[in-house]
Amino acid sequence: AVLHMVEMWIGPPAFRAGVLSYLKAHADGNATADDLWNALSTASTQDVKAVLTTFLDQPGVPLVTVEPLSEGRVKLKQARFLNAGAVAPRPQLWRIPVALRYPDGSATTTKRVLLTKAEQIVALDTKTPPAWIHPNADEVGYYRWSVPPAMFASLAADAGRVLDPRERVGFLGNASALLSAGRLRGDDYVRVLEAFASDPDPEVVGNVLAGLGIIRETFFSEGHEAEFAP
């Protein structure tokens, strides 16, 4: 998953060139992870090793939070993703290839940025605040994400039109994670499931059913079974 994220960040042609160079250089021999990271860095002219080591050499997964600002700007924040009640460890930083998709007139635009700091201001290619921002375009980022509640609801309502099946499955998985982290209210989670309930893709609907199972196990006791059934 992390390698796929890097592939989309540097581009498939550069990724392919780096892998081929690595295989040729170490044919019939031994190699290390650093050998592959260095080959990818050379092929892409990006510091791939610096990105990968933050994901592979430290525990946890990052949470990327998007805060809309004026004049088409957003503030990106990163911190370690934790379930509710977990003790916060020491501060950690990742180098995260983030892909922000947002509406631009009748189409959508994707802005790619490397998030390297705890907080980072990004200027979008628009001067008006977008109705929604999807912080994991193409669902290839190895991170959880969060946007303001109104924007989250707007994206859920438009998901069938603006997100592909992979992204819709990822949206539901991210929503479940936010629920576990205490970052999404239970009633808002139910509204998300309702927005996806009539999705034409079986895998998406399967994730809706899994979400209903989470609600049943978390919020309902045996005395409320009859109320939950309808």
Side-chain angles (χ1 to χ4, degrees), residues 97-109:
V98 177
L100 305 168
R101 179 176 296 148
Y102 54 92
D104 184 14
S106 59
T108 62
T109 297

Side-chain angles (χ1 to χ4, degrees), residues 20-199:
L20 290 174
S21 174
Y22 161 80
L23 292 174
K24 182 178 180 180
H26 302 283
D28 300 319
N30 296 323
T32 67
D34 278 354
D35 292 325
L36 177 56
W37 311 159
N38 291 333
L40 292 172
S41 296
T42 300
S44 65
T45 68
Q46 300 284 352
D47 196 348
V48 173
K49 180 179 177 180
V51 171
L52 284 167
T53 53
T54 63
F55 283 89
L56 301 177
D57 295 348
Q58 65 177 340
V61 62
L63 170 70
V64 176
T65 302
V66 178
E67 178 185 330
L69 302 175
S70 60
E71 298 180 349
R73 300 173 302 144
V74 295
K75 178 187 290 186
L76 301 182
K77 301 178 183 179
Q78 64 160 299
R80 182 170 173 176
F81 176 82
L82 296 169
N83 284 333
V87 178
R90 62 176 177 80
Q92 293 175 243
L93 283 178
W94 286 261
R95 297 178 71 85
I96 312 170
V98 177
L100 305 168
R101 179 176 296 148
Y102 54 92
D104 184 14
S106 59
T108 62
T109 297
T110 299
K111 177 85 171 185
R112 299 188 183 275
V113 59
L114 186 63
L115 176 59
T116 60
K117 303 175 183 178
E119 295 186 1
Q120 200 165 311
I121 305 296
V122 175
L124 304 179
D125 299 323
T126 177
K127 293 300 181 182
T128 58
W132 52 262
I133 298 173
H134 183 214
N136 194 358
D138 301 319
E139 201 60 35
V140 296
Y142 191 75
Y143 52 84
R144 296 300 185 186
W145 56 268
S146 177
V147 296
M151 184 175 286
F152 195 84
S154 178
L155 181 54
D158 279 352
R161 182 176 60 85
V162 300
L163 303 183
D164 64 26
R166 177 188 175 97
E167 291 171 325
R168 299 200 297 274
V169 169
F171 187 103
L172 289 169
N174 190 74
S176 296
L178 294 179
L179 180 71
S180 297
R183 293 177 174 271
L184 184 65
R185 290 165 48 100
D187 53 347
D188 289 332
Y189 182 65
V190 173
R191 294 187 185 96
V192 167
L193 297 181
E194 183 180 11
F196 286 80
S198 59
D199 196 280

Side-chain angles (χ1 to χ4, degrees), residues 220 223-230:
F220 284 85
H224 293 92
E225 287 294 327
E227 299 172 37
F228 183 75

